[in-house]
């Protein structure tokens, strides 16, 4: 059904097939979601994916806050070899750790965020501290001023992506978070990629009026390793296309805790997020975020307990937001960056948003809806 819906929307000329479908789902009044794949009710073009169960011990899965791999529900899509969709494999309470890290820890220096482009360094040292009280008191009005955390659009980790040159470089690197590296290594191994090294991360922060433009992740020097994507909070529609924008994409739902892996043929396909949606349960937060952590964590766990106060701030943020972490291996083992000449060490994005757009009545120009 998804392919038929896409075909019906892309018969007319004037725009490429991907952009036409992107615009359709981008519309606020686009209520027809029948063509969107829902992996919780597999069928049609959805097929089961085989995982490498023996590659990740139950103990290492627990240490990463994950269920044993034998319990994961993993799927693929016909026509998209190398694409793996894993329905929320996180243990109860463990998603909260990653949300807190993305809001409280990962935006800290020396990591880089969009706010660094137009704010003095001392103003972006502690976004959490400057925002938590305002967030806790926040009501439902759209006219309330946004906290600094709500103005966060992206954070880069490890090798920092240069939005201007579309490249990574050896001279713009900070240590990659060890907890996130461990999580990524376990997920990659379960999908058949043992030895995956988490070297770069881009965290995207979405609100209900946000989108992510049409693009391909091709800046990494090693395309043989997968791209990992983790989502938390509200839901979204994800579009996965082909090697050319003239190919109509497949639309699918992503819910809190879901993981996507793009590898092989699917590693270099066009993709986008046209729309963020309230979670389908109709509650302020999805139920998978309701439970806290159990009191006893396994030895060596990378998961930490969140205080009630910290989670109160995170929960308030997530009521209208979604966080996505995409993790990449930039270099093959033993590979080095090519020599750079005449480049600046810390190239940044040409604008605040990069390819992450948001509709705003305060902006004079309507943002470009694809990149």
């Amino acid at each position: 059904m998804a392919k038929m819906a896409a075909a019906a929307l892309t018969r007319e000329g004037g725009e490429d097939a991907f952009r036409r479908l992107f615009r359709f789902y981008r519309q606020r009044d686009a209520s027809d979601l029948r063509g969107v794949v829902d992996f919780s009710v597999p069928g049609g073009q959805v097929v089961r994916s085989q995982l490498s169960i023996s590659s990740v011990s139950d103990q290492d899965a627990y240490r990463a806050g994950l269920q044993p791999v034998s319990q994961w529900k993993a799927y693929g899509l016909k026509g998209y070899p190398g694409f793996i969709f894993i329905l929320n494999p996180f243990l109860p309470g463990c998603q909260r750790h990653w949300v807190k890290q993305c809001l409280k820890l990962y935006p800290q220096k020396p990591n880089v965020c969009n706010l660094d482009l137009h704010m003095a360094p001392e103003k972006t040292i502690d976004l959490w501290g400057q925002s938590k009280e305002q967030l806790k008191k926040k009501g439902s009005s759209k006219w309330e001023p946004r906290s600094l955390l709500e103005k966060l659009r992206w954070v880069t980790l490890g090798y920092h992506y240069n939005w201007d040159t579309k490249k990574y470089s050896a001279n713009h690197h900070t240590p990659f978070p060890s907890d996130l590296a461990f999580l990524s290594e376990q997920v990659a191994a379960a999908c058949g990629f043992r030895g995956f090294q988490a070297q770069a991360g881009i965290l995207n922060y979405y609100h209900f009026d946000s989108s992510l433009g049409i693009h391909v992740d091709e800046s990494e020097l090693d395309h043989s390793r997968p791209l990992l994507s983790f989502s938390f909070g509200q839901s979204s529609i994800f579009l996965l296309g082909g090697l050319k924008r003239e190919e109509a994409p497949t639309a699918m739902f992503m819910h809190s805790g879901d993981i996507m892996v793009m590898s092989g043929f699917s590693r270099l396909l066009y993709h986008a997020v046209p729309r963020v949606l309230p979670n389908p349960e109709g509650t302020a937060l999805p139920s998978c975020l309701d439970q806290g952590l159990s009191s006893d964590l396994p030895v060596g766990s990378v998961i930490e307990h969140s205080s009630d106060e910290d989670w109160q701030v995170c929960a308030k943020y997530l009521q209208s937001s979604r966080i996505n972490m995409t993790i990449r291996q930039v270099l093959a083992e033993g590979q080095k960056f090519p020599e750079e000449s005449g480049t600046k060490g810390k190239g940044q994005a040409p604008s605040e948003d990069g390819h992450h757009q948001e509709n705003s009545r305060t902006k004079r120009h309507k943002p470009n809806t694809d990149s």
Side-chain angles (χ1 to χ4, degrees):
M1 179 178 286
K3 284 290 186 184
M4 292 174 60
L9 284 165
T10 54
R11 290 190 188 113
E12 299 178 16
E15 289 183 313
D16 63 66
F18 201 127
R19 192 176 184 211
R20 184 178 296 276
L21 204 63
F22 182 98
R23 287 189 181 279
F24 172 78
Y25 285 118
R26 179 73 181 129
Q27 297 169 11
R28 295 293 99 192
D29 58 351
S31 58
D32 185 0
L33 303 179
R34 290 173 297 172
V36 184
V37 172
D38 186 345
F39 286 95
S40 65
V41 285
Q45 69 186 111
V46 176
V47 295
R48 287 301 295 257
S49 280
Q50 296 299 314
L51 297 174
S52 181
I53 296 174
S54 62
S55 295
V56 180
S57 68
D58 289 356
Q59 183 69 11
D60 280 344
Y62 290 142
R63 288 176 59 206
L66 300 166
Q67 300 171 17
V69 178
S70 59
Q71 297 179 20
W72 295 8
K73 296 179 180 178
Y75 301 95
L77 287 171
K78 294 177 183 177
Y80 294 95
F83 176 77
I84 303 171
F85 192 103
I86 303 167
L87 285 172
N88 178 17
F90 289 94
L91 291 168
C94 290
Q95 289 188 54
R96 291 187 175 191
H97 170 84
W98 303 109
V99 173
K100 184 192 72 173
Q101 298 296 78
C102 287
L103 291 176
K104 185 175 184 179
L105 183 67
Y106 298 158
Q108 293 180 10
K109 299 294 166 276
N111 297 329
V112 182
C113 72
N114 61 291
L115 299 179
D116 296 326
L117 303 178
H118 55 86
M119 294 181 69
E122 62 271 15
K123 297 289 187 181
T124 61
I125 289 176
D126 185 15
L127 303 181
W128 175 271
Q130 296 180 71
S131 304
K132 60 182 183 179
E133 293 303 322
Q134 185 178 347
L135 266 173
K136 283 194 289 187
K137 298 174 184 174
K138 190 174 180 64
S140 57
S141 171
K142 294 181 179 179
W143 306 111
E144 289 185 63
R146 284 186 167 179
S147 64
L148 286 180
L149 272 182
E150 292 171 293
K151 295 178 180 179
L152 201 58
R153 294 292 168 264
W154 52 261
V155 169
T156 52
L157 309 171
Y159 288 114
H160 295 283
Y161 185 68
N162 185 318
W163 302 92
D164 194 14
T165 64
K166 306 274 193 284
K167 293 180 179 180
Y168 300 94
S169 66
N171 58 5
H172 195 195
H173 174 270
T174 56
F176 194 93
S178 59
D179 58 347
L180 184 51
F182 186 76
L183 170 70
S184 303
E185 288 158 12
Q186 307 319 305
V187 172
C191 294
F193 296 93
R194 297 186 74 165
F196 175 85
Q197 298 176 51
Q199 296 175 335
I202 298 179
L203 314 180
N204 279 308
Y205 301 80
Y206 299 83
H207 306 297
F208 283 133
D209 51 359
S210 302
S211 65
L212 182 69
I214 305 166
H215 68 286
V216 177
D217 290 290
E218 58 185 357
S219 300
E220 297 74 29
L221 275 63
D222 180 16
H223 295 154
S224 69
R225 309 304 273 174
L227 177 74
L228 310 180
S229 172
F230 303 85
S231 289
F232 305 106
Q234 301 299 326
S235 301
S236 71
I237 294 174
F238 179 80
L239 298 180
L240 182 63
L243 295 170
K244 298 179 179 180
R245 287 176 51 144
E246 287 71 26
E247 299 178 49
T250 294
M252 62 197 79
F253 290 114
M254 285 199 74
H255 303 304
S256 191
D258 290 344
I259 300 173
M260 288 193 315
V261 178
M262 296 172 67
S263 66
F265 170 79
S266 294
R267 176 64 177 77
L268 295 174
L269 299 182
Y270 279 99
H271 54 280
V273 177
R275 190 171 171 192
V276 176
L277 301 165
N279 91 82
E281 297 169 290
T283 51
L285 291 180
S287 58
C288 60
L289 292 171
D290 285 344
Q291 287 181 272
L293 279 176
S294 62
S295 56
D296 54 331
L297 292 171
V299 175
S301 175
V302 301
I303 303 297
E304 300 172 345
H305 285 95
S306 298
S307 69
D308 290 342
E309 181 185 14
D310 281 357
W311 179 244
Q312 184 183 355
V313 176
C314 293
K316 196 74 172 181
Y317 177 90
L318 288 183
Q319 286 181 10
S320 60
S321 305
R322 167 182 180 258
I323 298 172
N324 178 257
M325 311 187 299
T326 56
I327 313 303
R328 310 107 191 281
Q329 179 170 334
V330 177
L331 301 167
E333 189 172 354
Q335 187 177 21
K336 294 182 179 179
F337 287 101
E339 290 293 327
E340 299 180 52
S341 58
T343 58
K344 295 180 181 179
K346 293 193 176 182
Q348 297 301 325
S351 66
E352 176 181 330
D353 292 328
H355 59 219
H356 185 167
Q357 289 91 35
E358 177 175 358
N359 283 344
S360 171
R361 297 188 183 186
T362 63
K363 292 183 180 180
R364 294 184 180 180
H365 303 289
K366 185 178 179 181
N368 186 18
T369 52
D370 64 346
S371 60

